[in-house]
Amino acid sequence: MAVLPVVKYGDSILRKKVNKVDINEIGQLTNLIDDMFDTMYEEEGIGLAANQVGVNLNLMIIDVTHLDEYKDLEPIVFINTEVLQENGSIELEEGCLSIPEIRATIPRAESIVIRYIDELGQSNTTEFNGMFCRVILHELDHLNGKFFTDYLSSAKRKLVHSKLLEIAEDGYPSTGVVL
Ligand code: NI
């Protein structure tokens, strides 16, 4: 097990749609998944997408069990996730391990129904809401080459533009903010 470097804003792997996982190869992902959990906990994140550790696969992990409403759940591994339904809209502030120090309030769906494959190769169709829904949508955006800052108005994006450039140039060290 190992903590992997988190890829920062500016790296092209974070701007590409990732490849689907071959479901016959899920068994070979065990070490990567363990390393992703080590990395996420080290960075104090609650979600991590595979391309954030430089891996071009449709794989993400989420652990929101520190929140009371999810304390009975286990951390979840999501493979080849598809959104089947989105409902409602709610604005909340979020941050990103790949964009240290920038936080912004953006709208996202309040609840979603997704289909995903877990680390055992089982297909699941599940509804998620609240913070869990938000983290899923944030990580899915990563897997589609998108950042939460893409949702900002052009005026607000101008405010964070120089900071984004700085992160892109420096590979700025993570300060351990959320997703
Ligand atoms: Ni993120």
Side-chain angles (χ1 to χ4, degrees), residues 3-176:
V3 172
L4 306 169
V6 174
V7 174
K8 298 299 188 295
Y9 186 94
D11 192 308
S12 61
I13 196 167
L14 292 175
R15 277 302 188 191
K16 286 179 202 144
K17 186 178 164 75
V18 295
N19 294 327
K20 275 186 128 178
V21 172
D22 178 340
I23 55 163
N24 296 311
E25 293 176 1
I26 286 177
Q28 295 165 31
L29 298 175
T30 310
N31 287 342
L32 171 63
I33 290 168
D34 285 348
D35 289 350
M36 284 177 64
F37 274 108
D38 284 353
T39 304
M40 183 176 76
Y41 293 135
E42 172 71 19
E43 299 280 342
E44 297 177 10
I46 58 178
L48 190 68
N51 52 345
Q52 287 186 280
V53 292
V55 176
N56 180 3
L57 286 177
N58 194 318
L59 162 66
M60 61 192 196
I61 59 167
I62 292 175
D63 184 351
V64 286
T65 56
H66 65 291
L67 298 171
D68 255 8
E69 58 186 307
Y70 306 115
K71 66 179 189 306
D72 298 329
L73 294 179
E74 298 289 322
I76 300 184
V77 176
F78 298 86
I79 295 165
N80 295 348
T81 305
E82 299 165 75
V83 177
L84 304 180
Q85 203 182 314
E86 295 193 31
N87 296 301
S89 178
I90 185 167
E91 295 212 337
L92 277 175
E93 188 184 67
E94 54 189 80
C96 179
L97 294 174
S98 294
I99 316 181
E101 295 188 353
I102 293 178
R103 303 181 75 87
T105 300
I106 60 160
R108 292 195 190 270
E110 276 181 295
S111 72
I112 45 169
V113 179
I114 59 170
R115 181 160 53 219
Y116 67 97
I117 297 168
D118 61 30
E119 74 276 25
L120 302 174
Q122 303 292 321
S123 180
N124 302 270
T125 299
T126 314
E127 180 172 356
F128 293 92
N129 48 48
M131 182 55 76
F132 211 140
C133 168
R134 174 153 297 248
V135 181
I136 289 170
L137 289 169
H138 178 110
E139 304 311 334
L140 281 178
D141 271 355
H142 277 307
L143 298 175
N144 285 308
K146 210 165 173 185
F147 291 96
F148 74 97
T149 47
D150 298 345
Y151 295 98
L152 296 173
S153 66
S154 58
K156 283 186 183 160
R157 203 164 328 130
K158 266 185 198 146
L159 290 174
V160 299
H161 183 67
S162 60
K163 186 73 194 169
L164 289 175
L165 281 182
E166 197 183 306
I167 293 166
E169 280 171 18
D170 296 350
Y172 203 87
S174 171
T175 52

